[in-house]
Amino acid sequence: MALPMRRTLVSLHRATCRCVANADASLDVRHPVPLFLPVRTKKRYFIPPAVGVKEKTESNMEAKSRAAGLIIRQEYMERPINLACTAGVFDPYIPPEGDARLSTLSKEGLKQRTEQIRQSAASQLAIRKIKEHDSLFVTKDFAARAQEIFIEAHNALTQFNKVKLHTLVTERCYPEMTRGNRYKTIHWRFIESLEPPRVVHARCPDMVSKGNLYGQVTVRMHSKQTLAVYDRFGRLMLGSEEQPKDVLEYLVLERHLVNSYGQWRLHGKIVPSWAPAKDPIIKTVMIPGPKLKVDQELDAVNFEVPKPAAVQWYK
């Protein structure tokens, strides 16, 4: 009895399914839009590790990323190189001892003049290379232009105009000029030229690759200037605004000759070994005083200012 009953139920189920299919076809009933989008069920190929998981090393992370198909960029440990300027002064000019003090008519001055003429052969070859890339380069006019760049750069430094200063000095000279001037006030003034500036040295080195030329020209400038540096409290640290001084400087200007948009910029300064020492900087130091009460004044207290102990400084 169980087998005929099962066959009867199967036949009834098939008949019912056919009737439902015929009814859906006749009424054109469609299934509604699915409630879950297929994007939510998409498989995640890379799952970041949970916080606090043990053995979370760099090698494991790199292996998991490669298995997931992610590309990890290689990290280079080399230091970046700035091709806009060189890292220093190539074959620096050695100023003769006693410059601006010895006359050319004296015996020592005549020796210095003849030595400069002997050493000017390499400078002439470098000037020829510079003229091949810069057709407007003239030695006499360039010295006056270098003095204008020097004045504009120092005026921009006193006004803290960083944008203009970057156009007048190289990336190597900029930190040397601005280091330690954050909380200071600088008053600088160019008064006059004691001697006309002139070109005394020229070099045309290459860097990184052959043909990547840079022009370096050294200009001798003897002028009268005033300089006064104040600290953040308004106290004078160095120099004077009223007392001018005679300054002999050897300025190095550089230009990237291969770059058609390159400009001559201040690159450095040569300080000879026989130059006199600079004036010491006067620093503002706070001396600790006695602790006073509310109803007490300093004049009523017998307090002696302690003398600082002698300390050896190493630089």
Side-chain angles (χ1 to χ4, degrees), residues 20-287:
V20 172
N22 294 332
D24 292 344
S26 61
L27 296 176
D28 194 13
V29 177
R30 298 180 180 179
H31 294 284
V33 180
L35 297 178
F36 299 99
L37 299 176
V39 178
R40 295 187 179 181
T41 60
K42 187 176 180 180
K43 183 179 178 181
R44 295 184 179 180
Y45 291 97
F46 179 74
I47 301 175
V51 180
V53 178
K54 295 182 179 180
E55 299 181 0
K56 189 173 68 173
T57 60
E58 187 177 356
S59 59
N60 295 343
M61 293 291 294
E62 186 176 355
K64 290 181 180 179
S65 302
R66 287 181 177 177
L70 297 179
I71 300 174
I72 299 177
R73 186 177 180 182
Q74 186 178 359
E75 296 182 0
Y76 297 95
M77 302 302 294
E78 290 85 358
R79 296 179 62 183
I81 299 175
N82 185 15
L83 296 178
C85 69
T86 57
V89 180
F90 288 87
D91 192 10
Y93 173 69
I94 301 175
E97 188 173 356
D99 195 5
R101 294 196 304 268
L102 297 177
S103 174
T104 54
L105 300 177
S106 62
K107 185 178 180 180
E108 291 80 4
L110 188 60
K111 286 183 180 179
Q112 291 180 3
R113 189 61 181 170
T114 53
E115 188 68 24
Q116 289 178 3
I117 293 173
R118 290 177 183 175
Q119 294 179 356
S120 63
S123 297
Q124 294 297 329
L125 294 175
I127 289 173
R128 289 180 184 178
K129 279 188 179 181
I130 293 172
K131 287 183 178 180
E132 290 178 2
H133 295 82
D134 187 4
S135 58
L136 301 177
F137 181 83
V138 181
T139 308
K140 295 181 180 179
D141 299 340
F142 181 78
R145 176 57 185 158
Q147 185 173 346
E148 293 177 2
I149 294 172
F150 173 79
I151 296 172
E152 291 178 5
H154 282 73
N155 288 333
L157 179 64
T158 56
Q159 299 170 4
F160 292 97
N161 191 350
K162 298 181 180 180
V163 178
K164 187 176 181 181
L165 191 61
H166 272 292
T167 60
L168 297 171
V169 301
T170 60
E171 287 75 12
R172 183 244 182 191
C173 183
Y174 181 82
E176 294 183 358
M177 290 185 65
T178 58
R179 187 182 293 115
N181 299 338
R182 185 174 182 181
Y183 299 108
K184 297 180 180 64
T185 304
I186 302 173
H187 292 277
W188 180 85
R189 187 163 55 96
F190 183 86
I191 299 175
E192 62 177 351
S193 292
L194 300 177
E195 295 181 35
R198 69 173 190 270
V199 176
V200 294
H201 194 70
R203 288 295 181 269
C204 192
D206 51 5
M207 189 175 70
V208 179
S209 62
K210 191 174 182 180
N212 189 26
L213 298 176
Y214 295 84
Q216 290 185 354
V217 180
T218 305
V219 178
R220 178 187 180 275
M221 194 175 72
H222 193 198
S223 60
K224 186 175 289 187
Q225 308 170 13
T226 59
L227 174 65
V229 182
Y230 298 90
D231 60 3
R232 58 178 178 171
F233 304 107
R235 298 182 177 91
L236 183 65
M237 295 181 64
L238 180 68
S240 174
E241 294 188 49
E242 299 177 356
Q243 184 179 1
K245 286 190 175 182
D246 299 344
V247 183
L248 178 63
E249 294 174 310
Y250 299 91
L251 311 175
V252 180
L253 286 91
E254 186 184 80
R255 178 183 173 179
H256 193 194
L257 299 177
V258 182
N259 185 8
S260 57
Y261 299 99
Q263 297 179 355
W264 288 101
R265 297 184 295 174
L266 193 62
H267 187 62
K269 186 184 295 185
I270 297 175
V271 181
S273 58
W274 47 264
K278 295 182 179 180
D279 298 335
I281 297 176
I282 304 172
K283 294 184 179 181
T284 303
V285 182
M286 185 187 71
I287 300 176

